[in-house]
Amino acid sequence: MHANENDTVVEVETVLGPVSTAALGTTLMHEHIFVLTADSQANWERDWDEEARVADAVTRLRALRATGVTTIVDPTVDGIGRNIPRVLRIAEQVPDLNIVVATGVYTYTDVPAYFRHRGPGALPGLPDPMVDLFVRDIREGIQGTDVKAALLKCAIDAQGLTPGVERVLRAVARAHLETNAPVMVHTHPGTRTGLDVRRVLDEEGVAAARVQLAHSGDTSDADHLTELADAGYLLGMDRFGLDTMMPFEERVAIVVEMCRRGYASSMVLSQDAACHIDWIAPDLMPLLPDWHYQHVLSDVVPALRAAGVAKRDVTAMLVENPRRWFERT
Ligand SMILES: [Zn+2]
């Protein structure tokens, strides 16, 4: 990221290089290209066809771009199969779509074994090597490429603030303070883990406005989301299409209610979809027919408008809020 003399970030790193935040346009703030269990893939997957998978991703992303979406944010990090050389191959074939990528660690429980006996895992008080690795991804590039991460990503789920989750969250916070890259935290609103995130990030001195609480749309608890929005967090209403977890009508209704309460500037819309995810047996995917990149524009926005959400509120959620999150204001 580059700052001008007003200290406002005007460019965001994408896979194909920095772009002006003004050029981000319609942005899906939480989509994956691939979600893969790399070690298990290498051990068990007989059917992986790299060329076919890359071609399929290119086709899906070109189709998404044709609907008017100009940017996707892909928060795939350590733990869910980040492979930036592969993403770069794909991005080069869809050059008019901005693809923004992340650094971080994804775990609901312990740190990955790689980190278990490094830094504070080896001796209390040692600095966490994750911090410098995250900073390296942001400043120098990821996995030997020139592609730089534009955001930090970690997770807390129903298991709560385990020691491993807390260690990653604090490392993400420190890398944020060093780089000013915004922070996305996968949360579990059903157990109000956003409040754990707030406590830890407050202790670390991270401003709420730079933090996105992903998967906030997985609850119908408008009072809980209001508390988080009032604290300054950006709320990811970002799993449209995962209707087995929460039906479409309920996902729409909570966004409508939050808009009615005046919080359109605190939300972003996305699907958490992927071209391919190996966490789900392929024969079960037909249970999720709307879980794809085009659901938000095709179905969600019309439903929001029909329920009385103003066009300017939709623009806030799809264009202005993503831009502001990447800018230093
Ligand atoms: Zn995700």
Side-chain angles (χ1 to χ4, degrees):
M1 297 205 183
H2 307 275
N4 68 14
E5 55 264 273
N6 297 324
D7 230 19
T8 298
V9 173
V10 293
E11 287 185 331
V12 179
E13 291 290 343
T14 75
V15 172
L16 298 182
V19 301
S20 162
T21 54
L24 291 176
T26 299
T27 300
L28 296 177
M29 196 75 122
H30 192 135
E31 306 297 336
H32 300 270
I33 297 180
F34 293 101
V35 177
L36 300 173
T37 321
D39 198 23
S40 299
Q41 276 272 333
N43 279 293
W44 315 119
E45 181 71 53
R46 285 180 169 177
D47 300 329
W48 183 264
D49 181 336
E50 180 75 13
E51 295 310 311
R53 286 293 173 201
V54 166
D56 177 67
V58 168
T59 300
R60 289 171 191 263
L61 292 169
R62 283 181 180 159
L64 174 65
R65 177 63 188 85
T67 68
V69 169
T70 40
T71 301
I72 65 167
V73 178
D74 177 353
T76 306
V77 293
D78 180 354
I80 49 175
R82 186 178 68 167
N83 184 328
I84 295 301
R86 180 187 291 138
V87 170
L88 180 56
R89 280 188 67 201
I90 292 163
E92 284 168 344
Q93 297 176 67
V94 197
D96 53 350
L97 178 71
N98 302 310
I99 301 173
V100 178
V101 296
T103 186
V105 166
Y106 186 101
T107 179
Y108 301 164
T109 52
D110 201 358
V111 294
Y114 180 86
F115 291 108
R116 204 164 292 157
H117 300 292
R118 294 172 195 244
L123 280 176
L126 283 182
D128 201 317
M130 282 182 221
V131 180
D132 286 344
L133 294 173
F134 297 161
V135 170
R136 185 177 77 186
D137 277 358
I138 292 164
R139 294 215 173 118
E140 295 174 29
I142 303 167
Q143 295 171 331
T145 71
D146 294 331
V147 176
K148 298 184 178 82
L151 67 148
L152 290 141
K153 165 79 183 292
C154 59
I156 176 170
D157 206 86
Q159 294 85 347
L161 192 68
T162 67
V165 163
E166 181 169 353
R167 186 178 150 190
V168 176
L169 186 56
R170 290 190 188 277
V172 160
R174 287 165 197 179
H176 160 77
L177 293 174
E178 205 170 322
T179 61
N180 197 37
V183 174
M184 178 192 291
V185 186
H186 160 121
T187 61
H188 185 262
T191 52
R192 303 186 172 216
T193 55
L195 301 177
D196 297 303
V197 173
R198 180 168 71 177
R199 184 172 61 73
V200 173
L201 294 187
D202 281 354
E203 285 175 13
E204 295 287 338
V206 177
R210 305 307 311 288
V211 179
Q212 180 182 166
L213 301 176
H215 313 326
S216 292
D218 287 355
T219 184
S220 295
D221 186 346
D223 291 341
H224 175 55
L225 296 187
T226 296
E227 180 182 7
L228 296 172
D230 283 341
Y233 295 101
L234 182 61
L235 307 178
M237 317 305 274
D238 52 19
R239 277 178 160 172
F240 281 99
L242 265 175
D243 296 339
T244 49
M245 281 181 75
M246 184 169 165
F248 174 76
E249 294 73 17
E250 291 178 26
R251 290 189 182 279
V252 169
I254 185 64
V255 175
V256 171
E257 172 59 15
M258 293 302 288
C259 287
R260 191 191 66 77
R261 295 184 180 202
Y263 291 102
S265 63
S266 299
M267 294 185 285
V268 292
L269 305 176
S270 210
Q271 296 137 160
D272 200 11
C275 294
H276 181 72
I277 175 169
D278 72 6
W279 296 7
I280 300 172
D283 54 338
L284 294 180
M285 289 304 281
L287 295 174
L288 296 164
D290 292 327
W291 197 34
H292 58 75
Y293 291 149
Q294 298 184 34
H295 183 44
V296 163
L297 286 196
S298 298
D299 306 309
V300 176
V301 170
L304 294 172
R305 297 283 289 125
V309 172
K311 196 173 178 190
R312 66 174 179 278
D313 285 351
V314 173
T315 303
M317 293 186 280
L318 287 175
V319 181
E320 293 160 13
N321 302 344
R323 174 181 175 173
R324 192 176 65 246
W325 189 66
F326 281 110
E327 291 178 342
R328 186 188 310 173
T329 49

